[in-house]
Amino acid sequence: MALVATQDTSAGKQVYTKWCAGCHGDNGAGDGPAARHMIPPPRDFTGAVYQIRSTANGQLPTDADLLRSIDEGLPGTAMPGWKNRLSDRQRRDVLAYIKTFSTFFADTTQRPQVLEFGKEPGGGTGAEALRVGRQFYDSIGCRKCHGDQGRGDGPSAPTLKDDAGHPIFAANLHENWRFNGGPTTTDIYHRLRTGLDGTPMPSFSDLIDQKFLTETELWRLAEYVRSLSPGEPPVVRDVIHAPLVTRVLPRAPDDSAWNAVDTYWFPLVGQVIHKNRWFAPAVTGVWVKAVHTRDSIALRVTWDDRSASPDSAWLGHLGRVLATVQSDDSTREQPALWPDQMVVEFPVTIPTGMERPYFLMGSSSGPVYQWRWTSASRSAAVAGLARGIERFDSLPRGGVGARAVYDHGQWRVVFTRALASLDTASQLPFRSGRAIPVAFFALDGSNGEHGTRMAVSTWYFLALDEPVPARVFISPVLAMLLTLGLGMLVVWRAQQKTSYRRQQ
Amino acid sequence: MNGRILSVVGGMFLLTVCSKGDQGNAAAAPAAPPAPAAPATSDPSADGGTITGKIKFTGTAAKNPTIDMSEEAACKAKYPSPPTEEVVVAGAANALANVFVYVSAGLPANAKYQAPSTAVVLDQNGCRYHPHVLGIMVGQNLEIKNSDPLLHNIKAIAKKNRGFNVSQPNAGMTRDVTFSAPEVMVNLECNVHGWMHAYAGVRPDPFFAVSGADGSFSIKGLPPGTYTVEAWHERFGTQTATVTIAGTESKTANFTFAAH
Ligand SMILES: [Cu+2]
């Protein structure tokens, strides 16, 4: 292969030591200094077990497979893509070098053989095709791990481990932008054929070989899985627009009034600033909708969470998480039945300039106003002031309502409050006309998240939209007519002038 | 030479450390005088020596966890009362089943053994593996079959062999696999059913056995020589003994593990 000819493992070693060893370890054993902070942990290259392959289950990857993982990284994990950071030459050199960590690559009997995948058959997006796909999703047992609705909450999900015994989540099939091997139907189909070696996700190729399923049927399943995620990965829009509704405020999470409201997505990341830091958050983002009436606001926060914590079925997973992720403390914590939590944060008053309090729960001198909800008391939320990550003082007469639904791996919580505030010194009064900073914090108790271990967002904005006054609709028309009229006038005048000049 | 057992000691030493590696914990007896070099052989002579023994344990083993099969009605229906895992399967008088016993050293270095053409069968039935522990030769077929009308994935976690992870959602599905290198043990597991574990001892020779319900085992057809015999148990670890075979005789190697 031409690829091999250009590979140089001593140059590869240099690249490796500089860019990869921090995670993958000097000897490729997946034990670099950063390794104990992440789930999934960096790959141990000594076993030559690779997830993303074009080869049959249990086989070695091809160089092209490895190069793809190095170029693109593995979305949804700490493994970054290197296409834009390293030259072609460097990436090939490091590829050759990581192969030297395992004797399997030297073994000539282990020639990787690319599977015959075929092409996606036509007609895959119609309702009938998706129905067929869904049928096989149920009948061949995907739901056991990935759950009825595909959010990674199946009955076997809490017990899953990778080959090394580390905890592993069944992928949330609604977030294809986090699939390790790529988001497309073809990527999904390839993963179903090859499995993700080293993880519980098996290969389904035998079903085709033994005629339990046709290739088309497995493609239909891949298409169904693809249909669970949005057409495009969500993009962040900074300002949540809360329209004014004339009817009653939708307090229930599944009130049909929510269907008409625009939804906003915000990514969450681990809290890695304060001790104890947290690099392995379970909640990856929130979907937010908001509306207001003349006197109240309702904010619906939706997020995927595989467990309605506390749930003792997840204690094993929780123990594995605590054992895998190194804590900033020297002592390892004992698993406990922690609840899920959601925190919505605002400044205490609407800032007039660009100045905002510290996003990570304020500070002792600059508190932030928060709504805190926990799954331990689902239909209640506490309002209070946070003065830094460790200090929260609840406010008497907080006046925040909450209603929650847990449904197949998803929480939907509606927070409600009066727009006016009884205590303007500490409780933000909501007003239209100005963008109100807002931030979100999520904790999955079954993933060991409590205290400072959480997923955080940065500041975004909430805007209470005024109904567009009637004259606003008219004035543009008027303005247009006016401009048009003026234009006509100018043209006419000009023409007059020309003709006048000509006449002269 | 009367072929007395020069040493069967491993069993006398109680294990203190739980270990699943292939490092024996028990000290072996003083080495036997070197036996005359055995001729290399391609097939174990039917009339070679035999090592038999009984395996038991002392102390009280923790109760095997009961399996909650409520998610799998079809499996649950196969049992009159809830089944348990098979971590420690004990017979009468603390006899220990499911111990993989094999000759770990002493065979002529240049000996090559042909893998039998018959397959070893691993059946997934009632959401448990049958057998729970098996021995197999390098290159010999392992036929994995599903007798349950539901999804099992069977995953092999190995170091010296390539692992695999294939799914069998239908009853009647089979998959043949072979292992290319000796390895004690290759772990087999189902991730749909976290309680399903099986272990395969992969050997380059046919001198291995798995202890039965009464704790007994027998390894036949050994050429004359001095052998290290290792006994592996999934929970209690490993023990070794040294046995010298001089002719077509039968020697005894008993092992006693300490429950922990
Ligand atoms: Cu199973």
Side-chain angles (χ1 to χ4, degrees):
Chain A
M1 265 193 290
L3 215 60
V4 178
T6 60
Q7 288 166 344
D8 173 348
T9 58
S10 67
K13 182 174 182 172
Q14 278 177 17
V15 178
Y16 182 84
T17 308
K18 181 154 182 210
W19 298 103
C20 319
C23 287
H24 291 284
D26 287 338
N27 301 313
D31 56 355
R36 296 271 336 253
H37 289 295
M38 52 189 81
I39 296 178
R43 184 61 35 78
D44 173 351
F45 295 132
T46 61
V49 175
Y50 288 94
Q51 288 180 7
I52 310 304
R53 289 163 296 105
S54 56
T55 61
N57 185 267
Q59 284 199 18
L60 293 174
T62 63
D63 281 3
D65 293 337
L66 288 174
L67 195 58
R68 180 199 163 139
S69 296
I70 296 171
D71 282 359
E72 311 294 333
L74 299 178
T77 79
M79 169 70 189
W82 298 93
K83 198 168 49 195
N84 301 322
R85 285 180 243 202
L86 300 176
S87 69
D88 279 7
R89 180 66 196 249
Q90 284 173 312
R91 282 177 282 132
R92 283 173 189 203
D93 287 347
V94 78
L95 184 168
Y97 184 65
I98 62 174
K99 286 166 70 178
T100 64
F101 288 125
S102 167
T103 51
F104 282 117
F105 285 106
D107 179 349
T108 48
T109 63
Q110 302 282 355
R111 276 252 156 274
Q113 201 104 87
V114 176
L115 285 179
E116 197 58 66
F117 289 115
K119 280 248 164 359
E120 180 175 0
T125 46
E128 174 57 17
L130 297 184
R131 192 195 61 76
V132 171
R134 171 70 208 203
Q135 181 194 323
F136 289 109
Y137 182 86
D138 289 333
S139 71
I140 66 180
C142 312
R143 59 200 313 289
K144 291 277 175 200
C145 294
H146 292 285
D148 184 56
Q149 299 296 316
R151 294 201 178 87
D153 60 331
S156 309
T159 64
L160 300 179
K161 300 175 240 184
D162 69 9
D163 278 9
H166 299 126
I168 188 166
F169 280 138
N172 178 350
L173 301 180
H174 294 254
E175 298 185 340
N176 70 332
W177 62 93
R178 294 174 58 86
F179 288 174
N180 292 185
T184 68
T185 304
T186 305
D187 292 326
I188 297 166
Y189 179 77
H190 287 196
R191 298 295 87 71
L192 296 179
R193 292 289 308 276
T194 65
L196 284 102
D197 288 3
T199 84
M201 171 76 190
S203 151
F204 290 85
S205 278
D206 283 4
L207 281 167
I208 294 174
D209 299 344
Q210 298 179 25
K211 309 243 179 313
F212 285 96
L213 216 65
T214 65
E215 283 184 46
T216 302
E217 285 165 339
L218 196 66
W219 274 105
R220 294 293 178 248
L221 175 53
E223 285 153 357
Y224 167 73
V225 170
R226 176 63 191 85
S227 76
L228 297 175
S229 296
E232 296 292 327
V235 282
V236 179
R237 291 178 295 158
D238 282 345
V239 186
I240 306 162
H241 286 277
L244 176 75
V245 291
T246 44
R247 44 160 290 174
V248 53
L249 201 68
R251 287 173 195 275
D254 291 338
D255 190 315
S256 61
W258 288 114
N259 298 343
V261 182
D262 209 0
T263 180
Y264 297 82
W265 179 78
F266 303 109
L268 302 188
V269 297
Q271 188 287 110
V272 297
I273 298 169
H274 279 278
K275 289 194 170 181
N276 281 315
R277 296 166 300 164
W278 189 237
F279 295 85
V283 182
T284 57
V286 288
W287 299 88
V288 183
K289 294 185 174 196
V291 296
H292 70 105
T293 58
R294 282 275 167 233
D295 54 16
S296 301
I297 180 165
L299 187 83
R300 191 181 84 169
V301 187
T302 301
W303 72 98
D304 290 357
D305 178 337
R306 292 166 175 81
S307 51
S309 313
D311 179 350
S312 56
W314 284 83
L315 273 175
H317 169 86
L318 179 47
R320 285 188 286 277
V321 169
L322 296 179
T324 303
V325 182
Q326 193 168 39
S327 160
D328 288 332
D329 290 340
S330 48
T331 53
R332 187 196 291 171
E333 222 171 348
Q334 288 308 305
L337 288 167
W338 292 299
D340 293 330
Q341 301 180 52
M342 173 55 61
V343 178
V344 184
E345 174 181 287
F346 305 95
V348 176
T349 54
I350 305 181
T352 46
M354 285 309 289
E355 195 78 344
R356 280 168 300 181
Y358 185 42
F359 84 98
L360 192 51
M361 308 227 163
S363 62
S364 50
S365 56
V368 285
Y369 170 64
Q370 293 185 337
W371 297 341
R372 292 191 168 194
W373 170 90
T374 96
S375 57
S377 52
R378 292 188 180 197
S379 308
V382 177
L385 295 184
R387 296 185 165 86
I389 201 159
E390 241 116 46
R391 174 142 178 229
F392 179 75
D393 305 315
S394 59
L395 292 163
R397 296 183 301 144
V400 180
R403 299 263 295 268
V405 167
Y406 184 79
D407 173 25
H408 291 102
Q410 186 173 72
W411 281 112
R412 294 188 284 275
V413 180
V414 173
F415 295 90
T416 48
R417 211 204 75 179
L419 293 182
S421 146
L422 299 171
D423 168 12
T424 48
S426 48
Q427 297 189 20
L428 173 89
F430 288 96
R431 275 193 285 115
S432 57
R434 193 170 277 148
I436 305 164
V438 59
F440 303 91
F441 305 88
L443 294 87
D444 175 3
S446 300
N447 199 45
E449 298 173 12
H450 70 118
T452 59
R453 291 197 190 133
M454 59 175 129
V456 307
S457 81
T458 176
W459 282 121
Y460 294 101
F461 294 98
L462 170 69
L464 307 198
D465 289 354
E466 278 297 311
V468 190
R471 66 186 150 78
V472 178
F473 282 123
I474 296 161
S475 51
V477 181
L478 271 180
M480 244 168 70
L481 284 176
L482 223 70
T483 337
L484 203 69
L486 280 170
M488 299 287 272
L489 202 71
V490 172
V491 174
W492 182 76
R493 276 279 186 81
Q495 279 172 349
Q496 292 299 303
K497 272 184 187 156
T498 353
S499 49
Y500 172 74
R501 259 187 233 123
R502 274 201 204 120
Q503 278 169 12
Q504 280 193 327
Chain B
M1 217 169 137
N2 67 3
R4 268 168 37 93
I5 300 170
L6 291 172
S7 52
V8 181
V9 229
M12 306 294 112
F13 289 79
L14 299 183
L15 253 101
T16 47
V17 191
C18 174
S19 146
K20 273 192 194 167
D22 9 26
Q23 237 59 55
N25 294 69
T41 170
S42 295
D43 66 327
S45 65
D47 46 20
T50 302
I51 300 174
T52 60
K54 277 233 168 208
I55 304 177
K56 58 179 186 170
F57 65 97
T58 59
T60 324
K63 256 185 84 195
N64 288 323
T66 302
I67 303 170
D68 175 6
M69 284 191 189
S70 48
E71 284 290 335
E72 302 291 14
C75 285
K76 196 175 177 186
K78 293 186 179 176
Y79 303 89
S81 60
T84 66
E85 291 183 34
E86 296 162 292
V87 183
V88 177
V89 176
N94 275 4
L96 188 59
N98 288 339
V99 175
F100 182 66
V101 190
Y102 68 106
V103 172
S104 65
L107 287 163
N110 54 348
K112 286 261 183 296
Y113 302 92
Q114 189 70 43
S117 55
T118 50
V120 176
V121 176
L122 179 64
D123 189 15
Q124 299 155 100
N125 195 345
C127 293
R128 292 207 290 185
Y129 290 115
H130 306 275
H132 180 65
V133 174
L134 61 90
I136 189 166
M137 274 183 73
V138 168
Q140 186 178 6
N141 257 347
L142 176 62
E143 184 190 316
I144 301 165
K145 70 173 192 188
N146 186 2
S147 301
D148 292 325
L150 46 86
L151 170 72
H152 294 294
N153 72 301
I154 176 140
K155 175 154 92 156
I157 304 178
K159 288 211 152 58
K160 299 180 180 122
N161 288 280
R162 298 300 298 169
F164 55 82
N165 183 5
V166 296
S167 58
Q168 299 193 328
N170 296 67
M173 283 188 78
T174 60
R175 150 67 82 136
D176 288 331
V177 297
T178 54
F179 297 99
S180 59
E183 185 163 2
V184 177
M185 307 290 281
V186 170
N187 292 7
L188 299 161
E189 64 179 37
C190 171
N191 303 106
V192 180
H193 310 111
W195 61 83
M196 289 178 70
H197 292 280
Y199 302 88
V202 184
R203 298 300 303 156
D205 58 63
F207 305 116
F208 54 78
V210 176
S211 67
D214 62 350
S216 68
F217 73 91
S218 132
I219 298 171
K220 292 197 178 68
L222 278 160
T226 297
Y227 301 109
T228 308
V229 179
E230 184 161 284
W232 171 97
H233 184 262
E234 67 175 281
R235 172 136 182 91
F236 299 150
T238 56
Q239 295 199 20
T240 53
T242 305
V243 182
T244 295
I245 298 278
T248 57
E249 59 190 349
S250 184
K251 290 291 184 59
T252 308
N254 295 323
F255 295 89
T256 303
F257 288 91
H260 62 262

Coordinates of all heavy atoms in Angstrom, one line a residue, chain B residues 72 124 127 129 148 150-153 190-196, ligand 1:
Chain B
E72 N -37.1 -10.7 30.7 CA -37.1 -11.8 29.7 C -38.0 -12.9 30.0 O -37.6 -14.0 30.6 CB -35.6 -12.3 29.5 CG -34.6 -11.2 29.1 CD -34.8 -10.7 27.7 OE1 -35.9 -10.9 27.1 OE2 -33.9 -10.0 27.2
Q124 N -26.7 -20.8 24.4 CA -27.3 -19.8 25.2 C -28.8 -20.2 25.4 O -29.5 -20.2 24.4 CB -27.2 -18.4 24.5 CG -25.8 -18.0 24.3 CD -25.7 -17.1 23.1 OE1 -25.6 -15.9 23.2 NE2 -25.6 -17.6 21.9
C127 N -31.2 -17.8 29.1 CA -30.4 -16.7 29.4 C -29.2 -17.1 30.3 O -28.8 -16.3 31.2 CB -31.2 -15.6 30.0 SG -32.4 -14.8 28.9
Y129 N -25.3 -19.5 30.0 CA -24.5 -20.2 29.1 C -24.3 -21.7 29.5 O -24.2 -22.0 30.7 CB -23.1 -19.6 29.1 CG -23.0 -18.3 28.4 CD1 -22.6 -17.1 29.1 CD2 -23.2 -18.1 27.0 CE1 -22.5 -15.9 28.5 CE2 -23.1 -16.9 26.4 CZ -22.8 -15.8 27.1 OH -22.7 -14.6 26.6
D148 N -32.6 -19.4 22.7 CA -33.6 -18.5 23.2 C -34.2 -17.6 22.1 O -33.5 -17.2 21.3 CB -33.0 -17.6 24.3 CG -32.6 -18.3 25.6 OD1 -33.3 -19.3 25.9 OD2 -31.6 -17.9 26.2
L150 N -34.8 -14.6 21.7 CA -34.5 -13.2 22.1 C -33.1 -12.9 21.8 O -32.2 -13.8 21.6 CB -34.9 -12.9 23.5 CG -34.5 -13.9 24.6 CD1 -33.1 -13.6 25.1 CD2 -35.5 -13.9 25.7
L151 N -32.8 -11.6 21.9 CA -31.4 -11.1 21.6 C -30.4 -11.4 22.7 O -30.6 -11.1 23.9 CB -31.4 -9.6 21.4 CG -30.0 -9.0 21.3 CD1 -29.3 -9.3 20.0 CD2 -30.1 -7.4 21.4
H152 N -29.3 -12.2 22.3 CA -28.1 -12.2 23.1 C -27.0 -11.6 22.2 O -27.0 -11.9 21.0 CB -27.7 -13.6 23.4 CG -28.6 -14.4 24.3 ND1 -28.8 -14.0 25.6 CD2 -29.4 -15.4 24.1 CE1 -29.7 -14.8 26.2 NE2 -30.1 -15.7 25.3
N153 N -26.1 -10.9 22.8 CA -24.9 -10.6 22.0 C -23.8 -11.4 22.8 O -23.9 -11.6 24.0 CB -24.6 -9.1 22.0 CG -24.1 -8.6 23.3 OD1 -24.8 -8.6 24.3 ND2 -22.9 -8.0 23.4
C190 N -22.5 -11.6 27.8 CA -23.6 -11.0 27.1 C -23.8 -9.7 27.7 O -23.9 -9.6 28.9 CB -24.8 -11.9 27.2 SG -26.3 -11.1 26.5
N191 N -24.0 -8.6 26.9 CA -24.2 -7.3 27.5 C -25.6 -7.0 27.7 O -26.0 -6.0 28.4 CB -23.5 -6.2 26.7 CG -22.0 -6.6 26.6 OD1 -21.5 -7.0 25.5 ND2 -21.2 -6.4 27.6
V192 N -26.5 -7.7 27.0 CA -27.9 -7.5 27.2 C -28.3 -8.0 28.6 O -29.1 -7.5 29.2 CB -28.7 -8.2 26.1 CG1 -30.2 -8.0 26.3 CG2 -28.3 -7.7 24.7
H193 N -27.7 -9.1 28.9 CA -27.9 -9.8 30.2 C -26.6 -9.8 31.0 O -25.8 -10.7 30.8 CB -28.5 -11.2 30.0 CG -29.6 -11.2 29.0 ND1 -29.5 -11.8 27.8 CD2 -30.8 -10.7 29.0 CE1 -30.6 -11.6 27.1 NE2 -31.4 -11.0 27.8
G194 N -26.5 -8.8 31.9 CA -25.2 -8.5 32.6 C -24.8 -9.7 33.4 O -23.6 -9.8 33.8
W195 N -25.7 -10.7 33.7 CA -25.3 -11.8 34.5 C -24.7 -12.9 33.7 O -24.2 -13.9 34.3 CB -26.5 -12.3 35.3 CG -27.6 -12.8 34.3 CD1 -27.7 -14.0 33.7 CD2 -28.8 -12.1 33.9 NE1 -28.8 -14.1 32.9 CE2 -29.5 -12.9 33.0 CE3 -29.3 -10.8 34.1 CZ2 -30.7 -12.5 32.4 CZ3 -30.4 -10.4 33.5 CH2 -31.1 -11.2 32.6
M196 N -24.8 -12.9 32.4 CA -24.3 -14.0 31.6 C -22.8 -13.9 31.4 O -22.3 -13.1 30.6 CB -25.0 -14.0 30.2 CG -26.5 -14.4 30.3 SD -27.3 -14.4 28.7 CE -26.5 -15.8 27.8
Ligands
CU1 CU -28.0 -12.6 26.8

